[in-house]
Amino acid sequence: MEIEAVILGNGDYPSHPYPLDLLQQAPYVVCCDGAANEYIHRGHTPDAIIGDGDSLSAENKKKFADIFHPIKDQESNDQTKAIRFLQAQGKHRIAIVGGTGKREDHTLGNISLLIDYLQEELEVRMITDYGVFIPTHNSQTFTSYPGQQISIFNFGAKGLQADGLVYPLSDFSNWWQGTLNEATGTEFHIKASGNYLVFQNFR
Amino acid sequence: MEIEAVILGNGDYPSHPYPLDLLQQAPYVVCCDGAANEYIHRGHTPDAIIGDGDSLSAENKKKFADIFHPIKDQESNDQTKAIRFLQAQGKHRIAIVGGTGKREDHTLGNISLLIDYLQEELEVRMITDYGVFIPTHNSQTFTSYPGQQISIFNFGAKGLQADGLVYPLSDFSNWWQGTLNEATGTEFHIKASGNYLVFQNFR
């Protein structure tokens, strides 16, 4: 998909070339609060900084006051605030980098929220240092390479079946039971009704 | 709880003093496959090494052949193989360190599996560099400190209510909606029927 914006999250700053290139080539970059500090330190200028400002340095808060959009909302985390900010501008095709690492409860929340965004008909993907998370609705074909590690997290989908994966899928009773699968060739197909999350690791 | 064994997982090697101390003082240490390489490199000797051996160095595989227990089982990951190995010895009070970091699909799987172990009446906790995950059944009181960051992940519990947290709990429609709460004092109480996972961050 052609990305309209990249969100740089509060997790570990990306180190893999894929998320770094995405960030470099992004037409529009939103930093979540303190993530802006490192991004600016590396010589970049974000298009917007979102959050409650509690981890943004005093210097950056002052210097980038014109693009800092403080949003107070106890119901959403910084990642979701950034999504809402982009949504309001009509930007729907979004990549999230830096969304994992550091506190694991944040990592779990940030990944799971991808399913919320899917339900709002946004096209959001998360690119980490290890692979990509793709929130998916119903049946879908994915590009892969032989031996690629694939994990499927079930968020209520029924009738899960796969072509092109080593291990068969089934209607998991627990949502994490589709982890640690593997692609057999250059594409695989998942048949399902409902929402699930696909993780494909980098080569 | 008094720990009977510590599992060193395949994620990032611990760097926080809490998981490192646990590992140091453990009466029994099981390393998941390649995790043994770093543990041995740091001058320790595990009591057992579990896994399919694909990430254990050839040197260690040879040198520690007497404590290496290769387990082929496509249905379980290395963490669960280690749990089964300890369970067979009657060891039920287990701490997992090194269970997070690196591939996020592994992190998600390893954390979620804590609920599986709870259902088998094992007392398993995961200690990361950022805090502790405690799988919990029904109502429970937790020790805390004022301002401690608390996240609650709901795995099917009903009637969730809390005393001693800043934000009220409710019957989340999504399991990650209980993240980013905060303790008001030195303990908090969760009332619920069913299983949920509590994350408490370190001071």
Side-chain angles (χ1 to χ4, degrees):
Chain A
M1 71 178 184
E2 201 180 320
I3 300 286
E4 293 170 304
V6 172
I7 294 171
L8 176 63
N10 276 322
D12 285 334
Y13 199 92
S15 62
H16 189 283
Y18 282 16
L20 284 174
D21 284 356
L22 256 177
L23 205 50
Q24 186 75 40
Q25 289 159 23
Y28 193 93
V29 173
V30 180
C31 291
C32 292
D33 215 341
N37 296 329
E38 178 67 15
Y39 187 67
I40 293 164
H41 178 73
R42 291 180 182 224
H44 308 293
T45 302
D47 294 287
I49 304 170
I50 303 291
D52 55 14
D54 57 0
S55 57
L56 187 63
S57 73
E59 188 193 337
N60 284 332
K61 211 181 280 190
K62 198 174 162 190
K63 196 168 165 193
F64 294 94
D66 56 324
I67 56 158
F68 174 52
H69 304 264
I71 300 174
K72 297 273 176 203
D73 172 11
Q74 291 298 355
E75 295 296 306
S76 320
N77 69 2
D78 287 341
Q79 177 181 288
T80 297
K81 286 173 188 167
I83 291 280
R84 299 279 165 266
F85 179 81
L86 291 169
Q87 205 175 8
Q89 294 180 39
K91 295 186 167 73
H92 293 170
R93 295 193 301 278
I94 301 165
I96 299 169
V97 302
T100 64
K102 299 206 177 88
R103 267 177 59 184
E104 292 87 359
D105 55 337
H106 290 191
T107 292
L108 263 74
N110 286 341
I111 293 171
S112 305
L113 281 162
L114 297 173
I115 294 289
D116 281 16
Y117 311 147
L118 174 72
Q119 287 167 331
E120 299 170 26
E121 305 197 351
L122 300 169
E123 288 182 62
V124 183
R125 292 179 177 199
M126 182 182 282
I127 293 87
T128 79
D129 284 340
Y130 301 95
V132 53
F133 281 98
I134 305 172
T136 312
H137 181 65
N138 293 348
S139 301
Q140 192 87 32
T141 299
F142 299 83
T143 303
S144 58
Y145 60 85
Q148 184 174 33
Q149 299 293 297
I150 309 291
S151 285
I152 292 148
F153 297 95
N154 189 0
F155 286 75
K158 300 285 177 198
L160 276 164
Q161 288 185 300
D163 272 334
L165 295 181
V166 171
Y167 307 109
L169 295 185
S170 61
D171 277 357
F172 318 122
S173 53
N174 291 319
W175 65 270
W176 59 91
Q177 285 178 325
T179 57
L180 312 187
N181 214 319
E182 192 178 313
T184 55
T186 55
E187 66 174 42
F188 63 94
H189 182 75
I190 298 178
K191 202 179 142 188
S193 170
N195 298 327
Y196 55 98
L197 194 55
V198 174
F199 177 83
Q200 301 185 254
N201 90 322
F202 296 143
R203 199 185 288 264
Chain B
M1 71 179 187
E2 201 181 320
I3 301 286
E4 293 170 305
V6 171
I7 294 171
L8 176 63
N10 276 322
D12 285 333
Y13 199 91
S15 62
H16 190 283
Y18 281 16
L20 284 174
D21 284 357
L22 256 177
L23 206 50
Q24 186 75 39
Q25 289 158 22
Y28 194 93
V29 173
V30 180
C31 291
C32 291
D33 215 340
N37 296 328
E38 179 67 16
Y39 186 67
I40 293 163
H41 178 72
R42 291 179 182 226
H44 309 292
T45 302
D47 294 287
I49 303 171
I50 303 290
D52 54 13
D54 57 1
S55 57
L56 187 64
S57 73
E59 188 194 337
N60 284 332
K61 208 181 282 190
K62 199 174 162 190
K63 196 168 166 194
F64 294 93
D66 55 326
I67 56 159
F68 173 51
H69 304 264
I71 301 175
K72 296 274 178 204
D73 171 11
Q74 290 298 353
E75 295 296 306
S76 318
N77 70 2
D78 286 341
Q79 178 181 286
T80 297
K81 286 173 188 167
I83 291 280
R84 299 278 164 266
F85 179 81
L86 291 169
Q87 205 175 8
Q89 294 180 40
K91 295 187 167 72
H92 293 170
R93 294 193 300 278
I94 301 164
I96 299 169
V97 302
T100 64
K102 299 207 177 88
R103 266 177 59 184
E104 292 86 0
D105 56 335
H106 290 190
T107 292
L108 262 74
N110 286 342
I111 293 171
S112 305
L113 282 162
L114 297 173
I115 293 289
D116 280 17
Y117 311 147
L118 175 72
Q119 287 167 332
E120 297 170 26
E121 304 195 355
L122 299 169
E123 289 181 62
V124 182
R125 291 180 177 199
M126 182 181 283
I127 292 87
T128 78
D129 284 340
Y130 301 94
V132 54
F133 282 98
I134 306 171
T136 312
H137 181 63
N138 293 348
S139 301
Q140 192 87 33
T141 298
F142 299 83
T143 302
S144 58
Y145 60 85
Q148 186 175 32
Q149 299 292 298
I150 308 291
S151 285
I152 293 149
F153 298 95
N154 190 0
F155 286 77
K158 300 285 178 199
L160 275 165
Q161 286 185 300
D163 272 333
L165 295 181
V166 172
Y167 308 108
L169 296 184
S170 61
D171 278 358
F172 318 122
S173 53
N174 291 318
W175 65 272
W176 58 91
Q177 285 177 325
T179 57
L180 312 189
N181 214 321
E182 193 179 313
T184 55
T186 55
E187 66 175 41
F188 63 95
H189 183 75
I190 297 178
K191 202 178 143 191
S193 170
N195 298 327
Y196 55 98
L197 193 55
V198 174
F199 176 83
Q200 302 185 254
N201 91 322
F202 296 142
R203 198 185 288 263

